[in-house]
Amino acid sequence: MTSTASSTDTRQGQGVEDQRPSWQQRLRRFGYTAPPRSDVRARLVPAYTEPSPRLWAAIGLRREAAERLVRWSAWGGPLLVTLIAGVMRFWNLGSPKAVIFDETYYAKDAWALIHRGYEVNWAKNANELILQNGGNVKIPTDAAYVVHPPVGKYVIGLGEWMFGFTPFGWRFMTALLGTLSVLMLCRIGRRIFRSTFLGCLAGALMAVDGLHFVMSRTALLDQVLMFFVLAAFGALLIDRDKVRERLAAALPPDADGFVRPDARIAEETLLGRRPWRLTAGLLLGLAIGTKWNGLYFLVAFGLLTVLWDVGSRRVAGARRPRLAVLKHDVGWAFLATVPVAIATYIVSWTGWFLSATNGKGGYYRDWATADGRTSSWSWLFPDWWRSLWHYETQVYDFHVGLHSPHTYQSNPWSWIVTGRPVSYFYESPLPGKDGCPTDAGEKCAREVLALGTPLLWWAAAFAVLYVLWRWLFRRDWRAGAIACGVVAGYLPWFLYQERTIFFFYAVVFLPFLCLAVAMMIGAILGPPGSTERRRVIGAATAGVLVLLIAWNFIYFWPIYTGEAIPIDSWRSRMWLDTWV
């Protein structure tokens, strides 16, 4: 009896991870030693990696100074990368002094929104008048039919409100959001990889991407969409870390001070208020309020955050983590994202709601009281809701039926290899005119081409394959998170291959491509504990790749900024026939 009790007490004192499988016990007689078991707290909340002490010794830095440098680099590194990105994006932002590509829609729509609350029809010569008169033009009152929600245009309009109805004014906010997105990506990468270096590398790669650079200097909606999507992803990452910290704090340490898995605590612990998840719902609502393809990210990120909860409870020791998440987390996850996103989207139409309903307000604002007054749903829903619903159904029909051919349209299969970029602006100035050298001999070329830095995108094509391999065969959550962003931003376009779509739509999942490349470069550098020879070879290979990408961006700089260059120099940059 005593022997049995003693045996039972011994087993109860062991953690779940200390109960070795029988095959391990049998192998001990042959000299087998089980790998050391890590504290569950360290698995739930991994520490950030730090440079090897050999590095500090090599450069002669004392330990106290090295610790201070590591501590400050968490924000200092990302801010330095962001400063460089911002200087490039704001440099000569008002050039070209023209309404380029779809700025002809969004710059004017933004100006109308902040003054009238709805978009209007402009005269055909409005662009010329705006540029000639410094934006001092009369705003029409005739409502225009537009096919994108208002949030992105309000964002653009904020820059116009501060700096005027000029090229600098309507590009200011996209440049600001483009710069801030670099900062966010540095911090997001640092949080994912637990490495300041890899986080800053991901941000630096996006800073020198041509598509992101051009979109940051153009008043289009896709850069605004990308910002909100990336911010929502970052908010969910913070939420994931907070949840794992709570679970780690709830698990009691054993007699040796180690935190072990506990099934009851892992399955029954309530995770409390999760403000970062609510923040993500708000940001995803703003994304949908910019362009409808934000809906795909709402679905993808919603599933992702639930799967993260499953993984967190499993690591904490839950035997049935899916059931525990279904019981405690799924309902709150839905309420924190979907209703919040929908409410945010509806509120973004406030200017349209407040416009006149007598035919002199926003487009279709009077539909419910005019054409839709005999609707069978008129008793159930208010007029503003029925008018908005009718408007949205008409916009949906437009989007799915858009098949008008365009010179720069492209199939999504070609996006990952930058097969068909979009020319936003092109002029052929004569020698001595508009920056064309007097000794050019013939006309120069002056172009703004929305072209991703080719070497970065081609490297990203391999990085995506690496990330998928890491997720499928190594079950690496970081790879799964990166793949989720790529899938949500990229794959839906394959459903509309006959539709008129453009390469610059890819900017929304560009941050996740940069994370994928950074993750691949981290693998090239070598895992912790690699030999010095392995590290040197990895660092040399990774360094060459990064330097080539940076050089590639510098080489294409003239066709990103609209700089006048000799026509032969322009031709030398047209690497593929499809770029012309």
Side-chain angles (χ1 to χ4, degrees):
M1 183 70 176
T2 304
S3 174
T4 304
S6 175
S7 175
T8 302
D9 290 342
T10 301
R11 287 196 302 272
Q12 288 176 344
Q14 291 177 337
V16 174
E17 292 191 350
D18 285 339
Q19 300 172 10
R20 307 294 185 191
S22 59
W23 66 268
Q24 291 179 314
Q25 297 172 358
R26 290 195 297 269
L27 285 175
R28 284 176 184 168
R29 70 186 67 175
F30 300 104
Y32 170 82
T33 302
R37 297 286 175 164
S38 62
D39 191 306
V40 175
R41 183 189 292 113
R43 295 176 58 199
L44 285 169
V45 189
Y48 285 87
T49 59
E50 296 184 3
S52 169
R54 290 181 299 175
L55 174 63
W56 307 129
I59 61 178
L61 199 61
R62 293 182 303 178
R63 179 179 176 181
E64 296 78 9
E67 291 175 351
R68 194 181 306 114
L69 178 62
V70 169
R71 187 167 57 253
W72 281 94
S73 67
W75 274 102
L79 287 172
L80 178 60
V81 174
T82 303
L83 175 63
I84 296 171
V87 169
M88 292 191 300
R89 279 150 181 76
F90 280 97
W91 175 82
N92 204 18
L93 183 61
S95 177
K97 188 180 178 181
V99 181
I100 64 175
F101 199 60
D102 280 355
E103 285 185 341
T104 188
Y105 304 115
Y106 305 128
K108 291 181 290 189
D109 286 347
W111 189 248
L113 271 174
I114 63 174
H115 286 86
R116 301 209 180 280
Y118 59 91
E119 297 87 342
V120 299
N121 285 313
W122 293 81
K124 291 184 178 180
N125 65 338
N127 291 348
E128 291 77 10
L129 293 176
I130 292 168
L131 295 172
Q132 290 172 5
N133 300 319
N136 296 316
V137 295
K138 183 179 179 180
I139 305 173
T141 57
D142 181 29
Y145 173 68
V146 296
V147 295
H148 291 301
V151 170
K153 288 168 279 189
Y154 274 122
V155 171
I156 294 171
L158 182 60
E160 295 174 332
W161 175 70
M162 292 187 291
F163 298 102
F165 197 20
T166 63
F168 180 87
W170 62 64
R171 294 170 191 160
F172 175 82
M173 286 304 297
T174 52
L176 178 62
L177 297 189
T179 302
L180 292 178
S181 67
V182 171
L183 175 61
M184 285 197 301
L185 189 61
C186 289
R187 294 288 296 177
I188 286 170
R190 180 179 183 272
R191 188 174 289 271
I192 287 181
F193 302 128
R194 283 326 205 226
S195 167
T196 300
F197 170 74
L198 289 181
C200 290
L201 176 62
L205 289 173
M206 192 162 74
V208 297
D209 176 68
L211 179 62
H212 186 273
F213 178 78
V214 171
M215 295 297 287
S216 297
R217 295 167 56 87
T218 312
L220 270 64
L221 301 180
D222 300 83
Q223 186 80 337
V224 182
L225 171 64
M226 180 275 298
F227 176 84
F228 289 133
V229 165
L230 184 61
F233 181 75
L236 290 176
L237 270 177
I238 297 174
D239 174 74
R240 177 184 183 274
D241 281 358
K242 297 293 184 183
V243 163
R244 294 170 79 89
E245 288 171 5
R246 290 187 193 125
L247 285 173
L251 294 171
D254 62 12
D256 297 325
F258 284 89
V259 174
R260 304 298 185 186
D262 187 293
R264 182 186 62 81
I265 291 176
E267 292 178 1
E268 298 301 327
T269 297
L270 299 179
L271 300 177
R273 292 180 294 179
R274 301 174 68 168
W276 286 105
R277 188 177 264 177
L278 285 168
T279 302
L282 173 66
L283 291 165
L284 288 169
L286 294 173
I288 299 167
T290 301
K291 291 188 80 170
W292 277 3
N293 45 320
L295 280 166
Y296 295 111
F297 288 96
L298 175 63
V299 175
F301 288 174
L303 294 174
L304 182 66
T305 188
V306 170
L307 292 176
W308 282 348
D309 285 350
V310 172
S312 299
R313 291 188 182 272
R314 179 184 291 116
V315 172
R319 295 189 179 93
R320 294 174 294 180
R322 293 183 181 86
L323 183 61
V325 168
L326 183 63
K327 179 181 178 181
H328 297 297
D329 304 323
V330 168
W332 292 113
F334 176 85
L335 292 175
T337 52
V338 177
V340 172
I342 293 173
T344 302
Y345 179 84
I346 293 173
V347 169
S348 72
W349 285 86
T350 299
W352 184 84
F353 293 146
L354 296 178
S355 66
T357 58
N358 59 0
K360 297 181 179 180
Y363 202 86
Y364 278 139
R365 182 61 186 88
D366 62 337
W367 180 86
T369 56
D371 299 334
R373 62 182 180 277
T374 58
S375 170
S376 58
W377 298 99
S378 58
W379 63 276
L380 185 59
F381 296 105
D383 291 345
W384 62 266
W385 174 262
R386 291 189 298 117
S387 293
L388 179 62
W389 183 262
H390 177 73
Y391 195 168
E392 301 289 60
T393 58
Q394 297 300 305
V395 169
Y396 175 79
D397 292 340
F398 169 85
H399 281 306
V400 298
L402 182 60
H403 302 301
S404 304
H406 193 284
T407 303
Y408 291 105
Q409 72 182 67
S410 59
N411 190 285
W413 285 106
S414 69
W415 291 359
I416 198 68
V417 293
T418 63
R420 182 59 172 164
V422 181
S423 181
Y424 287 175
F425 172 82
Y426 187 88
E427 285 184 348
S428 300
L430 294 170
K433 300 286 187 180
D434 296 328
C436 182
T438 55
D439 58 351
E442 54 182 327
K443 289 183 179 180
C444 288
R446 190 170 176 230
E447 182 173 31
V448 176
L449 185 66
L451 169 70
T453 302
L455 293 184
L456 173 59
W457 282 74
W458 297 342
F462 292 99
V464 168
L465 296 177
Y466 169 73
V467 161
L468 292 174
W469 175 80
R470 287 286 304 186
W471 176 56
L472 291 171
F473 296 103
R474 295 294 184 89
R475 311 309 299 168
D476 190 326
W477 77 270
R478 303 169 303 170
I482 295 169
C484 178
V486 175
V487 166
Y490 190 20
L491 290 193
W493 291 110
F494 287 90
L495 301 174
Y496 307 101
Q497 294 187 61
E498 301 302 321
R499 187 183 179 277
T500 307
I501 53 181
F502 302 92
F503 168 65
F504 64 81
Y505 296 172
V507 74
V508 71
F509 62 87
L510 170 64
F512 302 97
L513 295 182
C514 294
L515 287 171
V517 175
M519 188 173 186
M520 183 178 70
I521 289 175
I524 293 173
L525 288 171
S530 298
T531 64
E532 187 171 345
R533 176 184 174 84
R534 170 69 177 83
R535 284 289 193 179
V536 169
I537 295 174
T541 304
V544 168
L545 176 58
V546 172
L547 288 175
L548 284 174
I549 290 171
W551 164 83
N552 206 204
F553 173 75
I554 295 170
Y555 178 72
F556 286 104
W557 174 273
I559 62 173
Y560 293 148
T561 58
E563 179 182 329
I565 56 176
I567 194 68
D568 287 339
S569 296
W570 175 84
R571 291 193 186 104
S572 69
R573 288 167 171 79
M574 297 297 106
W575 286 2
L576 302 178
D577 293 341
T578 54
W579 292 3
V580 180

